[in-house]
Amino acid sequence: MRRNAAAHSVPAPAYITRKIPVYELLNEEELARLEDHADWILSEIGIEIRGDAVALELFREAGVSVDGERLRFDCGHARALCASAPRTYTMHSRNPARSIVFGDDNLILGPAYGSPFVTDLEGGRRYGTMNDFENFIKLTYMTPWLHHQSGTVCEPVDVAVNKRHLDMVYAHLRYSDKPFMGSVTAPQRAEDSLAMARIVFGEDFMQKHMVIQGNINVNSPLVYDDTMTGALRTYAAANQGNVISPFILGGAMAPVTQPASIAQAHAEAMVGIALTQLVRRGAPVVYGSFLTTMDLKSGAPTFGTPESSLATLAISQLCRRLGLPFRCGGHLTASKIADGQAMQESVNNMNPAIMSGANFIFQAAGWLEGGLTIGYEKFVMDSDNCGAVERMLGGLTIDDNELAADAYREAGVGTNFLGVAHTLHNFRTANYRAALADTSSFEQWSEDGSADMQQRAFKRWNKMLAEYQPPPIDPAIDEALLDFIARKKASLKDAWY
Amino acid sequence: MRRNAAAHSVPAPAYITRKIPVYELLNEEELARLEDHADWILSEIGIEIRGDAVALELFREAGVSVDGERLRFDCGHARALCASAPRTYTMHSRNPARSIVFGDDNLILGPAYGSPFVTDLEGGRRYGTMNDFENFIKLTYMTPWLHHQSGTVCEPVDVAVNKRHLDMVYAHLRYSDKPFMGSVTAPQRAEDSLAMARIVFGEDFMQKHMVIQGNINVNSPLVYDDTMTGALRTYAAANQGNVISPFILGGAMAPVTQPASIAQAHAEAMVGIALTQLVRRGAPVVYGSFLTTMDLKSGAPTFGTPESSLATLAISQLCRRLGLPFRCGGHLTASKIADGQAMQESVNNMNPAIMSGANFIFQAAGWLEGGLTIGYEKFVMDSDNCGAVERMLGGLTIDDNELAADAYREAGVGTNFLGVAHTLHNFRTANYRAALADTSSFEQWSEDGSADMQQRAFKRWNKMLAEYQPPPIDPAIDEALLDFIARKKASLKDAWY
């Protein structure tokens, strides 16, 4: 193992440990009915894997009915194939203090993934570049409430499509020391991501330990394409992670009613998870869900809606019954800017994810415009709420100090507690303090320029980038990474698809 | 009874019926410890009722230890005195279709209460007037997601302090037909509120039926003043309602640790509820909580914080164990404008209230600046989320239509569900549609002027006010109300305190 041996100090927990109960929306009978319906979908309608003969053959060998590219599963079979997936596992980071654990009562937060556009108050909305990509990697690294770097935080459109994954993986490894996702846009790019991880972590280490992940979306309804299954198989074969997320807008990629969407998402997730296990038994995997609604007048996706909240809560229960780590949620919005709509929708989308017992929430910072854009101001505004989530999941401790009998003895009635010994002893750690919430008087706020939250956020992310210091890296490893990239790039003509 | 006999049509349910489980944060042992601590506070520290000899005498007669103005309760005594309060009861409106039921699985939403200032995008922040008051009554009446008019939606500072309650109660009765709160700023003003209600509902009817409420805040820590107990006794004696809410900023009006604040709030609420029952056994009452945090650097109140969320969830459990209707939450924020901060904090404050099983949430629309201001744009932005809350509490129905087997048979795999019969049959009722959420493309949104949510909200409330139509009222009743007000006003010199 060639990891940087000297772990440097980490100011925040590497991940959140949940101390409050999960919320159970549905009862046993309702959950069983949803599971039965998922089984019905997989046995009667089936699911297709398109263009991937290897995957089809794996399912055929496992006893699944394969008719052309259509798979049909006996009742309970998809579930049984998921059984070898680990319930909990560690994802190692190049800084061991940043390693994270999926599953159990743990929650891991990460920033947005996949936007072609970026926006900020000064520059407006434009295509993302490698510079933006690095900026978001740096901001994520600096944010104590984010534990994972996510993957394609924005598309760096100034680099050729067939080469940008090299620069992106390098940025993850060089400008941060938190865990991250590799490329999934082609099996070869997933292989390159693995190769670069091996330079840092060593091949032997990666045979037994997970250090990288692929983010796999289903082409809902009921289709996996070969790009996704190819990337999935690449990561699973290397004993590395996958996050399998059906991507459903109810009414388009699924029926318009939530119970149908929920059962379908469950069916689709199980098939992807099963494939990871057929490729390599015990390969680490996360059961994901991206299920939202649409405006049924315009067909536009909608986020943070009550219907999507209910669906998330129900799917979390189905996942828990499989015993797998659960990914869902995030600070999602259809708004184009970081205004009231953006925060109303984002918090509404995050809350059920938190209550549901989610283990992994990326898309937790920066998401705008249905995912088409990542915003700098939105990023730091969302991050504030990630800190609040950490405090919330810490729950209450009912003990003598917290009950503060002495404070009452000292203060009595009708006075105030500001100056009592108990307050002085506890105030530093008592409350989470959001960086961007303005709590000053109207007069003070007016004097300070009547800035809204976006304007304060603009200052904050600029200050953060100005203060950024990269984590240390072994120069030999850095050189080896740069050498790998240079050779790879030299071997390929630029392609823009 | 002189109520307007012909109830006119009501487009929305008069209140929400919760169909999803409540969230239980703490376990039995933790809850018992908080109850024990509340008992300890009431027995060892005690609580004061200041300047109200009648209230003190009622407690003395009930066997409570009274030492000057200090009450001390044996363990369990305060709780026992609350036992006669009804678990559930109807609050009648002059339009019977608008009558609401407190308790059980019901949730009643109402707008902000108590702001001296109002603000809107065009006029900026200024003192509220009677015109503003009427505007917010009208907007509340027009909002299907608000079921209760609240009370002092803003302070109409253009009317003398000793007369404004008359105009406020008139506005409630004339410009809406939803339930409302009367004056609590002096016992005589509470009597006037009752007298005006009697003109509409009749004296006999009000002996047996609740039609009006007082909003009673505790002078935390551990003090009730005679203004509050005087108003409380006035409403209770008339068999009308009270909402008893300790008002606690942790660190100032209670210790800085949440468990202490929670136990104190419980102790304070029980004493006020006990007083209603000593005045009139069976008088309707709501157990309220207004418990939030402060910025421990500046001393400013903070809202929607994780600590306040945890406290709300815990207090709701203590209230449920008493069996009483629970009031908490609302769309609260410290922000001066309806920006991202306002929505982030508001939704974060509303969510635990919803999950906790709250029965009554006023302060659900318009609240800004720690309650100092009610905002027109904020009002309609919050109202959108009240509609989402109603849909959320409706939960999921797992039945054949919702599972949509035929939709899969029709659509198959890899296609979309937009045109299938099931979608066409269900899309009209499938999703809640927020009025102010912009879900259009970036291009369309830019072409439409790049408006943020506040700007869209400005248009919306102006349009609503332009379209407002008052509910019908019996002209004889209207005349009697106006006559009562004219005589009252003529009998008093203007007072501004």
Side-chain angles (χ1 to χ4, degrees):
Chain A
M1 179 184 169
R2 299 176 58 195
R3 285 192 296 165
N4 183 7
H8 51 288
S9 72
V10 173
Y15 52 93
I16 299 171
T17 302
R18 174 188 197 88
K19 292 179 183 160
I20 67 175
V22 297
Y23 178 76
E24 305 284 354
L25 176 70
L26 300 180
N27 63 31
E28 168 65 31
E29 187 189 344
E30 292 168 321
L31 293 167
R33 184 138 189 220
L34 290 171
E35 287 171 341
D36 287 350
H37 199 58
D39 267 346
W40 175 83
I41 291 170
L42 288 178
S43 63
E44 290 292 313
I45 307 298
I47 189 166
E48 288 189 3
I49 295 184
R50 293 185 177 165
D52 186 344
V54 176
L56 290 172
E57 186 54 30
L58 286 168
F59 278 109
R60 195 192 318 271
E61 284 169 11
V64 175
S65 151
V66 180
D67 177 13
E69 296 184 320
R70 183 80 61 107
L71 308 177
R72 287 192 179 81
F73 293 76
D74 291 340
C75 283
H77 192 191
R79 183 183 189 91
L81 292 173
C82 297
S84 57
R87 301 177 76 91
T88 178
Y89 49 86
T90 298
M91 181 175 192
H92 295 266
S93 193
R94 71 180 178 89
N95 177 355
R98 298 282 197 199
S99 293
I100 55 182
V101 179
F102 284 88
D104 283 341
D105 292 329
N106 302 324
L107 172 61
I108 294 151
L109 301 176
Y113 184 118
S115 304
F117 299 102
V118 302
T119 191
D120 77 90
L121 265 191
E122 206 170 79
R125 178 178 179 270
R126 71 268 181 192
Y127 278 105
T129 64
M130 202 56 218
N131 182 54
D132 292 307
F133 188 98
E134 291 174 4
N135 283 343
F136 283 112
I137 296 297
K138 293 172 181 177
L139 291 170
T140 303
Y141 169 69
M142 294 178 80
T143 301
W145 325 114
L146 297 173
H147 316 105
H148 187 294
Q149 294 288 137
S150 180
T152 307
V153 286
C154 68
E155 282 288 345
V157 302
D158 53 343
V159 183
V161 170
N162 62 336
K163 298 180 178 176
R164 65 177 65 151
H165 65 287
L166 301 165
D167 291 345
M168 290 194 278
V169 171
Y170 177 76
H172 278 297
L173 286 166
R174 179 67 195 92
Y175 301 117
S176 175
D177 63 2
K178 296 180 182 179
F180 67 98
M181 291 170 170
S183 177
V184 292
T185 54
Q188 182 54 50
R189 296 173 198 157
E191 288 289 5
D192 290 344
S193 304
L194 287 168
M196 290 177 71
R198 285 187 192 108
I199 292 171
V200 175
F201 291 91
E203 184 154 3
D204 288 352
F205 186 81
M206 279 175 60
Q207 273 299 327
K208 292 194 178 160
H209 300 93
M210 172 188 162
V211 307
I212 195 168
Q213 264 169 324
N215 178 30
I216 306 298
N217 283 316
V218 185
N219 275 15
S220 306
L222 301 170
V223 173
Y224 279 85
D225 67 36
D226 60 335
T227 303
M228 286 290 121
T229 55
L232 178 157
R233 289 193 291 104
T234 304
Y235 286 109
N239 205 24
Q240 299 301 305
N242 281 291
V243 182
I244 313 288
S245 302
F247 183 96
I248 294 177
L249 302 182
M253 295 86 142
V256 74
T257 46
Q258 297 306 313
S261 297
I262 294 162
Q264 179 186 320
H266 188 54
E268 290 174 345
M270 284 195 295
V271 171
I273 293 162
L275 179 55
T276 65
Q277 301 306 301
L278 294 174
V279 170
R280 182 158 172 163
R281 203 175 152 83
V285 62
V286 172
Y287 176 121
S289 168
F290 188 104
L291 200 166
T292 194
T293 42
M294 47 191 273
D295 182 323
L296 293 167
K297 273 194 191 170
S298 69
T302 50
F303 301 94
T305 60
E307 296 83 9
S308 69
S309 295
L310 292 164
T312 292
L313 289 165
I315 294 177
S316 74
Q317 293 181 280
L318 297 177
C319 175
R320 258 199 303 289
R321 286 155 70 98
L322 273 183
L324 297 179
F326 183 55
R327 171 251 163 158
C328 70
H331 284 122
L332 309 188
T333 181
S335 185
K336 271 55 76 180
I337 51 173
D339 65 346
Q341 179 186 344
M343 291 297 114
Q344 195 182 57
E345 292 178 348
S346 291
V347 175
N348 269 330
N349 198 68
M350 193 65 160
N351 245 298
I354 298 311
M355 300 308 280
S356 80
N359 300 110
F360 187 27
I361 301 176
F362 59 99
Q363 315 287 28
W367 225 76
L368 282 170
E369 204 192 330
L372 285 176
T373 297
I374 181 169
Y376 282 86
E377 290 80 26
K378 177 81 165 23
F379 185 97
V380 289
M381 289 161 70
D382 287 341
S383 294
D384 263 13
N385 200 48
C386 290
V389 162
E390 171 155 335
R391 174 67 193 89
M392 177 83 185
L393 293 191
L396 295 174
T397 305
I398 318 285
D399 64 16
D400 283 347
N401 178 60
E402 296 273 324
L403 289 171
D406 281 347
Y408 289 101
R409 292 194 185 98
E410 185 179 344
V413 309
T415 172
N416 82 60
F417 289 81
L418 286 169
V420 305
H422 178 268
T423 303
L424 298 174
H425 188 254
N426 286 280
F427 86 94
R428 257 177 253 278
T429 54
N431 293 345
Y432 169 67
R433 197 163 187 269
L436 294 170
D438 184 288
T439 61
S440 62
S441 67
F442 179 83
E443 292 70 21
Q444 185 64 52
W445 173 79
S446 302
E447 213 169 278
D448 294 346
S450 306
D452 71 10
M453 196 188 208
Q454 275 189 96
Q455 292 167 308
R456 298 193 296 275
F458 176 81
K459 281 194 187 167
R460 182 165 173 78
W461 70 258
N462 275 285
K463 183 167 183 287
M464 286 173 74
L465 285 182
E467 291 172 355
Y468 168 79
Q469 298 280 348
I473 192 167
D474 178 337
I477 287 177
D478 192 29
E479 203 177 310
L481 286 169
L482 292 169
D483 181 61
F484 177 89
I485 294 168
R487 281 186 292 112
K488 265 282 160 184
K489 284 191 173 177
S491 74
L492 292 166
K493 275 185 113 155
D494 283 3
W496 293 93
Y497 50 86
Chain B
M1 179 183 168
R2 299 176 57 195
R3 284 191 297 166
N4 183 7
H8 51 286
S9 72
V10 172
Y15 53 92
I16 298 171
T17 301
R18 177 187 195 88
K19 292 180 183 160
I20 68 175
V22 298
Y23 178 75
E24 304 284 355
L25 176 70
L26 301 180
N27 62 32
E28 168 65 32
E29 187 188 345
E30 292 168 321
L31 293 167
R33 186 140 189 218
L34 289 171
E35 286 171 341
D36 288 350
H37 199 58
D39 267 346
W40 174 84
I41 291 170
L42 288 178
S43 63
E44 290 292 314
I45 307 298
I47 189 165
E48 288 188 4
I49 294 183
R50 293 184 178 167
D52 186 344
V54 176
L56 291 171
E57 187 53 31
L58 285 169
F59 278 109
R60 195 192 319 269
E61 285 170 9
V64 175
S65 152
V66 180
D67 177 10
E69 296 186 319
R70 184 80 61 106
L71 308 177
R72 288 191 179 80
F73 293 76
D74 291 342
C75 284
H77 193 192
R79 183 184 189 90
L81 292 173
C82 297
S84 58
R87 301 177 76 93
T88 178
Y89 50 85
T90 299
M91 181 175 193
H92 294 267
S93 193
R94 71 178 178 92
N95 177 355
R98 298 281 198 199
S99 294
I100 56 182
V101 179
F102 283 87
D104 282 341
D105 291 329
N106 303 324
L107 172 59
I108 293 153
L109 302 175
Y113 183 117
S115 305
F117 299 103
V118 302
T119 193
D120 77 270
L121 265 192
E122 204 169 80
R125 179 179 179 269
R126 73 268 182 190
Y127 279 105
T129 63
M130 202 57 219
N131 182 54
D132 291 308
F133 188 98
E134 291 175 4
N135 283 342
F136 283 112
I137 296 296
K138 292 172 182 176
L139 291 171
T140 302
Y141 169 68
M142 294 177 80
T143 302
W145 326 114
L146 298 173
H147 316 104
H148 186 293
Q149 294 286 137
S150 180
T152 308
V153 286
C154 68
E155 282 288 346
V157 303
D158 53 344
V159 182
V161 170
N162 62 336
K163 298 181 178 176
R164 64 177 64 149
H165 64 288
L166 302 165
D167 292 345
M168 290 195 279
V169 172
Y170 178 75
H172 279 297
L173 285 166
R174 180 65 194 93
Y175 301 117
S176 175
D177 62 2
K178 296 180 182 179
F180 66 98
M181 290 170 170
S183 177
V184 292
T185 56
Q188 182 55 50
R189 296 173 198 155
E191 288 289 3
D192 290 344
S193 303
L194 287 168
M196 290 177 72
R198 284 186 192 109
I199 292 171
V200 175
F201 292 91
E203 185 155 2
D204 288 353
F205 186 80
M206 281 174 59
Q207 274 298 328
K208 292 193 177 159
H209 300 94
M210 171 187 163
V211 307
I212 193 168
Q213 264 170 326
N215 178 30
I216 307 299
N217 283 315
V218 186
N219 276 14
S220 307
L222 300 169
V223 173
Y224 278 85
D225 66 36
D226 60 335
T227 303
M228 285 291 121
T229 55
L232 178 157
R233 289 194 291 102
T234 305
Y235 286 108
N239 205 25
Q240 299 302 305
N242 281 290
V243 182
I244 314 288
S245 303
F247 183 96
I248 294 177
L249 302 182
M253 294 87 141
V256 73
T257 45
Q258 296 307 312
S261 297
I262 293 162
Q264 179 187 320
H266 188 54
E268 292 175 344
M270 284 195 295
V271 172
I273 293 162
L275 180 55
T276 65
Q277 300 307 299
L278 293 174
V279 171
R280 182 158 172 163
R281 204 176 152 81
V285 62
V286 172
Y287 177 122
S289 168
F290 188 103
L291 199 166
T292 193
T293 43
M294 47 192 272
D295 182 322
L296 292 166
K297 275 194 188 168
S298 69
T302 48
F303 301 94
T305 60
E307 296 83 8
S308 69
S309 294
L310 291 164
T312 292
L313 290 165
I315 294 177
S316 74
Q317 294 182 280
L318 297 177
C319 176
R320 258 198 303 289
R321 285 154 71 97
L322 273 183
L324 297 179
F326 183 54
R327 173 251 163 159
C328 69
H331 285 122
L332 309 188
T333 180
S335 185
K336 270 57 75 180
I337 50 173
D339 65 346
Q341 178 185 345
M343 289 297 113
Q344 196 182 56
E345 292 177 348
S346 291
V347 175
N348 269 329
N349 198 69
M350 193 65 160
N351 246 301
I354 297 311
M355 300 308 280
S356 80
N359 299 109
F360 187 26
I361 302 175
F362 60 99
Q363 316 286 27
W367 225 75
L368 283 170
E369 203 192 332
L372 285 176
T373 298
I374 181 169
Y376 281 86
E377 290 79 27
K378 177 81 164 25
F379 185 97
V380 289
M381 289 162 72
D382 288 340
S383 294
D384 263 12
N385 200 47
C386 290
V389 162
E390 170 156 335
R391 174 67 193 88
M392 177 83 183
L393 293 192
L396 296 174
T397 304
I398 319 284
D399 63 16
D400 283 347
N401 177 60
E402 296 274 324
L403 290 171
D406 281 347
Y408 291 100
R409 291 194 185 100
E410 185 179 345
V413 310
T415 171
N416 83 60
F417 288 81
L418 286 170
V420 305
H422 177 268
T423 303
L424 297 175
H425 188 255
N426 286 279
F427 86 95
R428 256 177 253 277
T429 54
N431 293 345
Y432 169 67
R433 195 162 188 270
L436 294 169
D438 184 288
T439 61
S440 62
S441 67
F442 179 83
E443 292 70 21
Q444 184 64 51
W445 173 78
S446 303
E447 211 168 280
D448 294 346
S450 305
D452 71 10
M453 197 189 209
Q454 276 187 97
Q455 293 167 307
R456 297 192 296 274
F458 177 81
K459 282 193 189 169
R460 181 165 173 80
W461 69 259
N462 275 286
K463 182 166 183 287
M464 286 173 74
L465 286 181
E467 292 173 354
Y468 168 79
Q469 298 279 349
I473 192 167
D474 178 338
I477 288 177
D478 192 29
E479 201 177 309
L481 286 169
L482 291 169
D483 180 60
F484 176 89
I485 294 168
R487 280 185 294 111
K488 264 282 161 183
K489 283 190 172 176
S491 73
L492 292 167
K493 275 185 110 155
D494 283 4
W496 293 94
Y497 52 86

